[in-house]
Amino acid sequence: MEMLLLGAGLLLGAYVLVYYNLVKAPSCGGIGSLRGRTVVVTGANSGIGKMTALELARRGARVVLACRSRERGEAAAFDLRQESGNNEVIFMALDLASLASVQAFATAFLSSEPRLDVLIHNAGISSCGRTRETFNLLLRVNHVGPFLLTHLLLPRLRSCAPSRVVIVSSAAHRRGRLDFTRLDCPVVGWQQELRAYADSKLANVLFARELATQLEGTGVTCYAAHPGPVNSELFLRHLPGWLRPILRPLAWLVLRAPQGGAQTPLYCALQEGIEPLSGRYFANCHVEEVSPAARDDQAAQRLWKATKKLAGLAPGDDDDDPDEEPEPEDPRAPSSQSAPSPEKTTVSGPSRSYQGSQDLSKLTQRRIQVKDEPTP
C-alpha cells in the first residue's frame, strides 16, 4: 500500500512538473483596447482560432472570421458575439485550398472593410484526409494560400500601419526539409503527410523571415508563432474513430486547451515593443531560436519565388505598383480559353452585409510591389 501511495505521489509530482513547464501557457498581455481596429483570423470557427478571435472581440476589435464552412463559421460568429458582448464579429467565406476563393475573399474584404490592422494566419491542416488533389494540399492550405492572401491584403495593411501579420507555425518545423524539386507534388499516405506537414510549418517560418525583410520600413511587421502542444481538432480530426476515445483523455491531461494555445499568437498580435523582432519565431510568448533550416536566408528567398509561382503570381509582381493587388491563377480554375465559373463570397454579421460574385477573368489585374533585398 505504501509503495502504491509513493508511486501515485511520484506520478502526480511528475505531472505537475510537466504541466507547469510544458502544458500551462503564459497569459497574453498587450494592448488592452482594440476599439476601431480590424483583425482577420483564418480558421476561427473552432480551436485556437476561435479562442484567439474571442479574446480580440473581448478587447473591442472588429473581428472577421475567415472560414471554409459557412455553417460552422456563422455559428462561431454568433457564439463569439454572445460570449464577448461585441457585435462586431462577422463571418466571411475562405477556402485556402482554392486560389480563386482566396482572391474572392480578398476582393470582398477590400470592398467592404476600410481597415486591416492585424492578419492572423491560423487555419491549417495536418492531413489530406480522403481528399486527393493533383498538388500538395498541405502546402497549399498551410503556406501557399496564406502567402497569396497576405499579398492581396498588403495594401490595406500598409495603409493602416503600424499593422501586423501573425503566422501560426509549429515546433514541427524542426523536422522540415524542403525539396524544391518536389515542392508541390501530391501527398499520399500518412508518412508523406507527416513530412509534408513539417515542411509546411518550415515554410511558415521562412515566409515570416523573408516577409519581414521585404516589408522593412513599411510599418508592417510579421511573426511566426508556435501555439504549443494543443488539444484541438487538428490533433484528433484525422485519427481513426476507434483511437479517439483512447487518446482524448490523454490529450486532455498532457496537451493545452485551445485557450492556452491562443496565447502566443495573441502575444505576437498585441504585445507592444516587439516590432524590432519582426520575422522572428515565438513560443510561450517569447522569442525562440529556430532550426538551421529555418534561418537559411537563401532558402527563404528561393521559397518566396517558388511560392509566387505556385500562387499564380507573375515573376515581375515585385516591380509594380505597391498600392495594387496581384491577380492569381487557380490551377483548379478553367483555362483562359474557357469561361470560368463565378466565385462567390458572402459576408454575414449584424453590422454589415456584403455579397459579391466575381468572374475571375474580369477581375482588375493588379500587382503588389515589395522590396526585393537580401536579408542582412
Side-chain angles (χ1 to χ4, degrees):
M1 184 64 179
E2 291 181 355
M3 293 300 294
L4 286 175
L5 290 174
L6 178 61
L10 289 173
L11 284 173
L12 180 61
Y15 175 72
V16 170
L17 286 174
V18 169
Y19 178 80
Y20 282 99
N21 285 279
L22 298 176
V23 179
K24 183 177 173 61
S27 296
C28 164
I31 302 170
S33 174
L34 297 174
R35 294 193 181 280
R37 304 191 187 190
T38 299
V39 184
V40 170
V41 186
T42 66
N45 57 275
S46 64
I48 297 170
K50 189 174 182 180
M51 291 300 100
T52 301
L54 176 60
E55 182 60 31
L56 295 167
R58 283 174 171 165
R59 299 189 187 207
R62 178 172 176 82
V63 184
V64 177
L65 312 184
C67 312
R68 182 173 59 88
S69 168
R70 179 176 308 282
E71 180 181 359
R72 298 178 69 190
E74 290 180 342
F78 177 81
D79 291 344
L80 294 178
R81 289 194 294 267
Q82 295 291 107
E83 205 167 337
S84 67
N86 180 356
N87 285 327
E88 294 289 302
V89 180
I90 66 170
F91 159 78
M92 292 181 68
L94 171 66
D95 180 1
L96 289 167
S98 166
L99 301 184
S101 176
V102 176
Q103 172 71 69
F105 172 90
T107 301
F109 180 88
L110 294 172
S111 299
S112 61
E113 299 294 329
R115 293 195 61 85
L116 178 57
D117 299 275
V118 184
L119 171 60
I120 301 180
H121 291 297
N122 165 81
I125 58 173
S126 59
S127 168
C128 299
R130 298 178 181 178
T131 304
R132 291 293 175 263
E133 300 287 0
T134 58
F135 50 85
N136 185 335
L137 183 61
L138 278 92
L139 189 75
R140 171 71 70 87
V141 173
N142 295 351
H143 171 62
V144 178
F147 179 96
L148 175 60
L149 183 60
T150 303
H151 273 70
L152 295 170
L153 298 182
L154 264 179
R156 191 58 46 85
L157 285 163
R158 288 173 184 262
S159 68
C160 295
S163 53
R164 296 184 181 184
V165 178
V166 180
I167 306 162
V168 177
S169 184
S170 168
H173 83 271
R174 301 183 187 282
R175 303 193 304 271
R177 295 293 182 272
L178 293 176
D179 181 353
F180 287 97
T181 64
R182 298 179 52 83
L183 202 59
D184 200 37
C185 288
V187 177
V188 180
W190 66 270
Q191 290 179 313
Q192 287 190 20
E193 288 180 345
L194 287 175
R195 169 66 184 271
Y197 177 75
D199 290 350
S200 71
K201 296 293 104 177
L202 173 59
N204 290 157
V205 180
L206 290 172
F207 174 38
R209 188 178 183 89
E210 181 64 15
L211 184 62
T213 301
Q214 299 278 353
L215 296 178
E216 185 177 358
T218 65
V220 183
T221 53
C222 54
Y223 313 89
H226 171 41
V230 179
N231 182 12
S232 68
E233 286 191 11
L234 191 65
F235 171 71
L236 295 171
R237 183 182 301 161
H238 303 298
L239 291 176
W242 63 269
L243 192 57
R244 292 178 191 174
I246 300 172
L247 291 183
R248 197 178 293 272
L250 181 63
W252 184 81
L253 286 173
V254 301
L255 299 179
R256 292 176 180 172
Q259 182 178 5
Q263 297 308 305
T264 299
L266 284 167
Y267 179 90
C268 292
L270 304 176
Q271 184 62 37
E272 296 172 295
I274 64 170
E275 290 80 6
L277 300 173
S278 181
R280 301 292 296 276
Y281 171 86
F282 285 74
N284 292 317
C285 297
H286 65 263
V287 173
E288 189 171 288
E289 287 303 317
V290 295
S291 67
R295 53 178 184 267
D296 184 337
D297 291 330
Q298 288 187 340
Q301 293 167 12
R302 187 177 181 185
L303 177 65
W304 183 278
K305 294 177 181 178
T307 308
K308 284 176 61 178
K309 184 176 180 180
L310 293 176
L313 299 173
D317 278 347
D318 286 354
D319 302 322
D320 296 330
D321 193 334
D323 295 326
E324 298 183 347
E325 305 95 30
E327 179 184 5
E329 295 178 4
D330 194 336
R332 297 192 296 184
S335 69
S336 59
Q337 296 176 345
S338 61
S341 59
E343 184 77 21
K344 181 180 290 185
T345 293
T346 301
V347 183
S348 67
S351 304
R352 303 177 190 175
S353 179
Y354 171 88
Q355 185 169 5
S357 178
Q358 296 88 16
D359 182 331
L360 292 181
S361 67
K362 297 179 181 178
L363 288 173
T364 304
Q365 294 187 354
R366 299 170 180 173
R367 299 282 196 277
I368 301 172
Q369 178 183 16
V370 287
K371 297 191 301 180
D372 189 12
E373 300 174 353
T375 304

